Amino acid sequence: MKKKVTVVIPNYNGLKFMEPCFQALSRQTSKAFDLLVVDNGSADGSAEWLREHKIPSIFLKENTGFSGAVNRGIQAAKTPYVILLNNDTQVFPEFVEELLRCIERSPKIFSVSSKMLQMYKPELLDDAGDMYTLMGWAFQRGVGQSSKGYKSACRVFSACAGAAIYRKSVFEEIGYFDEMHFAYLEDMDIGYRAKIAGYDNLYCPGAKVYHVGSGTSGSKYNSFKVKLAARNNIYLNYKNMPGPQLLLNSLPLGAGIFVKYLFFKKKGFAADYVEGLKEGLKTARKCKKVPFKRENLSNYAAIEWELLAGTLIYIYEFSKRQLKKFSIL
């Protein structure tokens, strides 16, 4: 059978997740996929386990981050599509089949995001595609909402690279995952670049997966994660927004930074957040900025509209979660 897609799994010290992740993949309704693990210099026995079970793998000598690992996997794949899958996941049997069916609808589709459910609270959503706002906040659409909802396929700002399919040929056009990001917001960046070039990112509710979340970093908020996300947020806006768009959005972006600072101050990570912002401002010019092309002007206008829509969706979903908390209390 000719394979259509390669499932690329980046791994860093994720031995405890290996067996359930691969068992779920073995039960797929579609067998039209290759499997490739990229191990990021793990020291927990992952490499030995992969060799013992004869799983196709690339073994890197050091941790290159999520971006570095998946880039090696994408470049090594010999199929027209790649599925990026976190090791802390368990996919439903129709996962591969549904993602392939969706992305093959049009050559203008770059990526398709899956319906991610919380592993330990499967009645709740973890992600139904990623969105971006005028304040510079990336967020998981549907997070914390009932998993019974979000049944319709739709466009999203970006696919969550924890469980999504990508059209490999487009990487040659827009570039691969930015390795300056190392981890966090790299999937938002690649989705943003695809949108500038005129491609779509979709959400497929039929491709479902259980996700632990923060399986590698260990927690939702920690010094490492807060610092990198703050730095990468600077990269994301600098690279993808032309000067006039940055100027247009300067007030909401500034407000977004201020609100996040207050949030992380409350959580005890204010110093880490500020350090990440400083590093981002200091090193942003090392990033490869997306060249502005006049033929993409309509795409930039559409993106600006999506940023506004994303802001409204964020406010709506945040309000729903807060009301739910009050109703429980």
Side-chain angles (χ1 to χ4, degrees):
M1 183 186 296
K2 188 176 181 181
K3 305 298 175 66
K4 291 184 175 182
V5 62
T6 301
V7 178
V8 176
I9 302 176
N11 177 70
Y12 178 66
N13 292 336
L15 179 61
K16 63 182 178 181
F17 299 121
M18 292 288 195
E19 197 164 334
C21 179
F22 291 123
Q23 283 180 350
L25 281 169
S26 71
R27 295 190 289 268
Q28 290 300 290
T29 54
S30 171
K31 306 299 180 184
F33 67 92
D34 288 325
L35 182 62
L36 179 62
V37 177
V38 183
D39 186 78
N40 247 337
S42 296
D44 67 340
S46 291
E48 291 77 9
W49 189 92
L50 290 165
R51 289 189 178 100
E52 180 185 341
H53 289 79
K54 298 180 180 179
I55 294 173
S57 303
I58 296 172
F59 299 100
L60 304 179
K61 293 182 179 179
E62 58 185 9
N63 185 5
T64 61
F66 180 89
S67 299
V70 297
N71 281 348
R72 304 302 181 278
I74 294 166
Q75 290 160 357
K78 295 178 172 59
T79 52
Y81 307 107
V82 291
I83 288 175
L84 302 185
L85 185 67
N86 281 5
N87 55 13
D88 62 340
T89 58
Q90 294 178 37
V91 297
F92 282 52
E94 302 82 10
F95 176 76
V96 171
E97 182 180 356
E98 287 286 337
L99 287 180
L100 277 171
R101 180 184 58 80
C102 191
I103 200 168
E104 288 184 323
R105 288 177 180 172
S106 167
K108 297 304 290 181
I109 299 172
F110 168 57
S111 70
V112 181
S113 198
S114 62
K115 186 174 187 177
M116 303 178 78
L117 313 177
Q118 295 182 27
M119 181 76 78
Y120 304 124
K121 291 183 179 179
E123 72 279 6
L124 298 179
L125 272 172
D126 182 58
D127 193 293
D130 289 347
M131 305 298 286
Y132 201 47
T133 71
L134 289 170
M135 296 89 72
W137 297 350
F139 68 97
Q140 301 151 259
R141 191 175 74 105
V143 64
Q145 308 292 341
S146 171
S147 59
K148 293 179 181 179
Y150 297 81
K151 296 178 180 179
S152 300
C154 63
R155 288 185 176 88
V156 292
F157 198 89
S158 174
C160 172
I165 191 169
Y166 295 84
R167 188 178 302 273
K168 192 184 174 200
S169 60
V170 178
F171 288 106
E172 298 297 326
E173 180 182 345
I174 67 172
Y176 290 79
F177 284 86
D178 189 343
E179 296 188 22
M180 277 189 69
H181 278 240
F182 191 80
Y184 307 117
L185 295 178
E186 70 291 312
D187 48 3
M188 183 64 66
D189 172 62
I190 198 81
Y192 203 140
R193 280 186 272 145
K195 294 184 81 65
I196 292 172
Y199 291 96
D200 289 326
N201 304 303
L202 303 186
Y203 161 67
C204 176
K208 294 185 283 188
V209 52
Y210 293 121
H211 182 221
V212 174
S214 301
T216 298
S217 65
S219 60
K220 187 175 182 180
Y221 301 115
N222 56 63
S223 177
F224 173 78
K225 189 172 182 178
V226 169
K227 194 182 303 182
L228 256 65
R231 182 197 69 181
N232 293 349
N233 197 232
I234 298 293
Y235 292 169
L236 177 63
N237 295 321
Y238 170 76
K239 287 173 57 183
N240 294 294
M241 289 189 186
Q245 192 177 24
L246 275 171
L247 184 62
L248 175 66
N249 296 327
S250 59
L251 286 178
L253 286 172
I257 289 172
F258 179 67
V259 172
K260 271 202 168 183
Y261 169 77
L262 294 178
F263 173 81
F264 286 121
K265 185 178 181 180
K266 186 177 179 181
K267 294 285 184 181
F269 295 109
D272 299 302
Y273 182 67
V274 171
E275 187 177 343
L277 290 176
K278 287 180 178 178
E279 184 181 346
L281 291 168
K282 184 178 179 180
T283 59
R285 290 188 179 276
K286 295 180 181 179
C287 295
K288 186 178 180 182
K289 192 170 175 68
V290 177
F292 176 77
K293 297 178 181 178
R294 296 188 70 175
E295 58 264 34
N296 290 335
L297 193 58
S298 61
N299 297 335
Y300 283 110
I303 287 169
E304 190 67 21
W305 173 254
E306 283 194 61
L307 294 178
L308 174 59
T311 304
L312 297 176
I313 292 169
Y314 177 85
I315 293 170
Y316 170 72
E317 292 192 346
F318 176 79
S319 300
K320 278 186 70 175
R321 288 195 300 271
Q322 296 307 114
L323 288 170
K324 187 177 178 180
K325 286 179 184 178
F326 284 121
S327 66
I328 292 173
L329 293 174

